[in-house]
Amino acid sequence: MTELKLYNTLTRTKEVFEPIDPANVRMYVCGPTVYDFAHIGNARPVIVFDVLFRLLRHLAKQGVWDGGKGETKVTYVRNITDVEDKINARALRDFPGLPLNEAIANVTEKTANQFFADAAALGCLKPTAQPRATQHIDGMIAMIQTLIKKGHAYVATGKEGREVLFDVASMPDYGGLSKRNLEDQQAGARVAVEAHKKNPADFVLWKESSGDEPGWDANFDGTQIYGRPGWHIECSVMAKANLGEVFDIHGGGLDLIFPHHENEIAQSRCAHGTDVMAKVWMHNGFLQVEGRKMSKSEGNFVTIHDLLETEKFGDRKWPGEVLRLAMLMTHYREPIDFSVKRLEEAERLLDGWRREIVKRGIRFAPADRAAAESERVCAKVVSALANDLNMSEVIAALHWHADGNESYNGPRLFGSLQFLGLVTFDSMLAWMEEESAAEEQTAPPELETRLEERLALLAEKNFAEADAIRDELAAQGVQLMDYKDAETGERRTKWEVKR
């Protein structure tokens, strides 16, 4: 039986994973705030934890945790944050006559649906549940009331009105996830403690809304506060509602360790009286774009939709499976420099594997669908993924099949890529049609000459002049895509006219 090992941020060690309940593996991942379209940084946890979801389901079917029965269920919850001051204000402005939850739904319908479409285009399976924060306001109010009654929260009045604050000093081991010592935080505070706070690290659970701001009615220990929830409380409530007070895995980006995940733990543990909120905490690394931190001020802010549907990045659209592989080529805990060069490398890799699949006789006629979709994943791929999602070992296993001469190499290569969400039966059909169309194209003599010149420059490792030819042709509306000939191993170039 395969043994699953995962790196746990809480303990800073790689541990053998054993579910709390062998009948149900439970995972929660922080999802996007749907004020605007999701950016490429949001895509990384979506892809990483989709791969983990696929692996957990596979191991569950193998019976790894229930004595070989194969009946273990996997429950994957990824939330939608639709309670946020900008969203609330827009809802009040654009839909003044509607109840707030309904107005928010109207504001976020387009962005939430776009996120769902983006995730599907990236090859991600639907989570078991995708709760929205607006669906759990009553639960947030109830949890805050519990924290007040247990002495972990208090009502105070600040400059912007009344607030309910979490009292971090009431939790002796606050800071255990981020390894931040509370005394050090107090000593290192750069600004004076706000007068209404007991401690500079105390954080907002509920904030009063002014008369012209949106909010919900809430009663806290006899104090009526029309307001809205703080950021952290929503995930504690949605996780509990869908997975219980304690569950197996909590995931998200590295940037969420503090304060978001630290404060989730504080709220949940203190409300429920538990030793942990989640058994394992997993975090994916940061993402840069072309060597710089992504930001609108830098001019390198790019959404998933931009990459899929526009030519904003690299003067072309990028297929979802290429974006997915580009994300997975680096171990999930390491930082990524997301660049055009990286996407081109991912596309070359994927195209090479797809050519090997076709070359080895895997058929994609309509009658072959059931057989193709039932192809099994390679055991080496599963073993590599079970080692804390070790993608370098996964890619080595894929190359091993692509280079092998055994009859099983082709089926295992396709089965493994299918398991990873990098190909489907339909995507292979579409790709084969594109390849066929490209082969039938005849380049004009002057274009053929420039292509040959560029290939010669690449062979000489004169990349600067080769790039100059590529840029020259791109300016004329001709997009070049390099690939390796499956028979000879030589570099080839296909082209298309950008529409």
Side-chain angles (χ1 to χ4, degrees), residues 105-283:
N106 286 343
V107 168
T108 60
E109 180 181 15
K110 180 180 179 181
T111 48
N113 287 341
Q114 185 61 58
F115 171 71
F116 298 145
D118 290 345
L122 293 171
C124 297
L125 303 172
K126 282 186 179 180
T128 313
Q130 298 186 80
R132 292 172 178 256
T134 47
Q135 299 167 342
H136 292 269
I137 298 296
D138 289 344
M140 296 180 211
I141 294 169
M143 182 176 283
I144 294 168
Q145 180 63 30
T146 298
L147 290 168
I148 292 172
K149 285 185 176 180
K150 290 189 173 187
H152 296 292
Y154 59 95
V155 178
T157 302
K159 293 179 180 178
E160 298 180 1
R162 292 171 299 171
E163 297 176 338
V164 183
L165 296 161
F166 184 89
D167 183 358
V168 294
S170 72
M171 182 181 181
D173 55 350
Y174 177 80
L177 180 68
S178 61
K179 310 306 179 192
R180 290 175 176 238
N181 182 281
L182 188 55
E183 287 74 23
D184 292 343
Q185 291 183 55
Q186 289 174 302
R190 295 187 178 185
V191 295
V193 180
E194 294 174 76
H196 68 300
K197 285 188 175 185
K198 294 180 180 180
N199 187 292
D202 290 353
F203 57 90
V204 174
L205 300 171
W206 190 267
K207 188 177 184 68
E208 187 170 21
S209 296
S210 63
D212 60 348
E213 290 180 318
W216 293 264
D217 288 316
N219 188 299
F220 300 112
D221 213 19
T223 302
Q224 196 74 20
I225 304 178
Y226 172 78
R228 68 270 193 203
W231 173 28
H232 316 298
I233 193 71
E234 64 178 63
C235 286
S236 287
V237 171
M238 286 186 277
K240 193 266 182 182
N242 288 274
L243 300 174
E245 294 179 356
V246 179
F247 51 95
D248 296 297
I249 300 169
H250 195 313
L254 200 64
D255 56 316
L256 297 181
I257 293 176
F258 188 88
H260 185 51
H261 287 170
E262 194 71 80
N263 292 345
E264 275 189 61
I265 290 171
Q267 295 161 163
S268 295
R269 285 184 53 200
C270 290
H272 307 315
T274 56
D275 292 332
V276 295
M277 177 188 181
K279 186 176 177 181
V280 178
W281 289 79
M282 297 177 66
H283 295 91

Side-chain angles (χ1 to χ4, degrees), residues 415-444:
S416 298
L417 291 171
Q418 185 172 239
F419 178 82
L420 291 164
L422 292 169
V423 300
T424 64
F425 184 88
D426 291 325
S427 75
M428 282 296 300
L429 273 178
W431 177 81
M432 290 166 66
E433 289 173 2
E434 290 176 5
E435 287 286 286
S436 178
E439 289 173 4
E440 292 173 4
Q441 275 186 319
T442 303

Side-chain angles (χ1 to χ4, degrees), residues 33 35 81-89 104 216 228 234:
T33 300
Y35 175 73
T81 295
D82 58 355
V83 173
E84 193 260 357
D85 281 352
K86 290 180 182 177
I87 293 173
N88 298 348
I104 286 173
W216 293 264
R228 68 270 193 203
E234 64 178 63

